[in-house]
Amino acid sequence: MSVYKDEKQKTWYVSVRYTDWRGEKTRKVKRGFKTKREALEWEQSFLNENCGNLEMTFGEFVDVYEENLKDRLRQSTWQTKVSIIESKILPYFRKKRMIDIRPSDVVAWQNKLMSFKDENGEHYSPVYLKTIHNQLSAIFNHAMRFYDLPSNPALKAGNMGKEKTHEMLFWTKEEYLKFSEAIMDKPISFYAFEMLYWCGLRLGEMLALTPADFDFESKVVRINKSCQRINGEDIITDPKTPKSIRKIQMPDFLADEMKDYFDSIYALSPDQRIFPLSKSYMHHEMTRGSNLAGVKRIRIHDLRHSHVSLLIELGFGAVAIADRVGHESIDITYRYAHLFPTTQKAIAEKLDLERS
């Protein structure tokens, strides 16, 4: 027995010996439980997490999964995972033991989701279905990697839905200039979009900017954080990837514009967000400006594509562009290959000259 009564304190405590993940035998003591039942529940949870006992239920393993991963992920990323797990996965698998879940269980779960219709009679989109399945598969992969689950039943069952396939849209410089002129009636909108287009920033990166990020002497803006809306609050988080931390050289005209903007803000402090806007406001302004300018409506993220397209047109290579926008150069080469001037025909002609 590993649960005991502390007669002096009138509480219960756990003293349990176990073999940890390194194969070493050790002991854990936990005191202060009001009832024996609480102590037993804590003991079982502790052993599940530290000994990799996959006789635990799926719901219990999700708690282990959270304990292992929550502090390693951006808060916004974790919130997205939690939403999917709690609403789409746990209701079906919560009480099933991890070792008992079979590919057939996953297929039955998939069929329920694919046949679901909302109050408007609409099914879940193929992209959303794939996102849900990928999260279930990620949980089983975690169990395989760290807790010796023999196989991933979600992988064996096969995926559902399909990958996101957004058409890559972008504005030409002329289209953007028409747009920017149309939104000049709202200075905060104008300057926000100037930073997005001429620096190729992500929306969260732009929303997190403060005066301390600008060095007007060298005309450089520092990107080292992002602003995300989480549970109704604006939260400053780390950037999307380590590569996202970078310094961007601003063109002279943009540096001058931003200095003018700073001068227009009363009592601006170094750590104050210069664009205290919501993403919904930015989307509204994108629509308003597009309509006024008579240009096609693109997504805000497509301004980043527009910046890359402009740099390619100006003759810059993948490495330089990747450094500026916070990507790996291989990603730039792959995603924007169709925009680079070297074509398959030109390659063939070069090889033909080498052969002759």
Side-chain angles (χ1 to χ4, degrees), residues 257-301:
E257 286 179 352
M258 293 309 297
K259 280 194 287 187
D260 290 342
Y261 176 55
F262 283 11
D263 290 341
S264 72
I265 303 175
Y266 176 74
L268 184 62
S269 61
D271 59 351
Q272 179 181 334
R273 283 176 55 204
I274 60 173
F275 298 118
L277 308 170
S278 66
K279 291 185 178 181
S280 61
Y281 172 87
M282 293 297 296
H283 289 301
H284 175 270
E285 286 297 274
M286 193 76 176
T287 300
R288 184 179 75 91
S290 300
N291 291 337
L292 288 173
V295 296
K296 63 181 178 288
R297 169 64 158 90
I298 62 175
R299 298 174 304 151
I300 290 178
H301 193 72

Side-chain angles (χ1 to χ4, degrees), residues 110-125:
Q110 289 177 336
N111 289 337
K112 283 182 176 292
L113 288 174
M114 289 189 290
S115 62
F116 174 82
K117 291 183 181 180
D118 63 18
E119 61 274 11
N120 298 317
E122 298 290 332
H123 291 284
Y124 292 132
S125 72

Side-chain angles (χ1 to χ4, degrees), residues 1-16:
M1 181 177 174
S2 54
V3 174
Y4 306 91
K5 182 73 175 287
D6 185 331
E7 297 295 346
K8 185 176 180 180
Q9 300 294 330
K10 304 301 181 185
T11 57
W12 293 82
Y13 68 95
V14 177
S15 176
V16 59

Side-chain angles (χ1 to χ4, degrees), residues 58 93 96-106 140 153:
F58 183 88
F93 293 104
K96 295 179 182 291
R97 294 193 308 169
M98 288 291 289
I99 58 174
D100 292 338
I101 298 174
R102 301 287 181 262
S104 58
D105 296 315
V106 177
F140 287 125

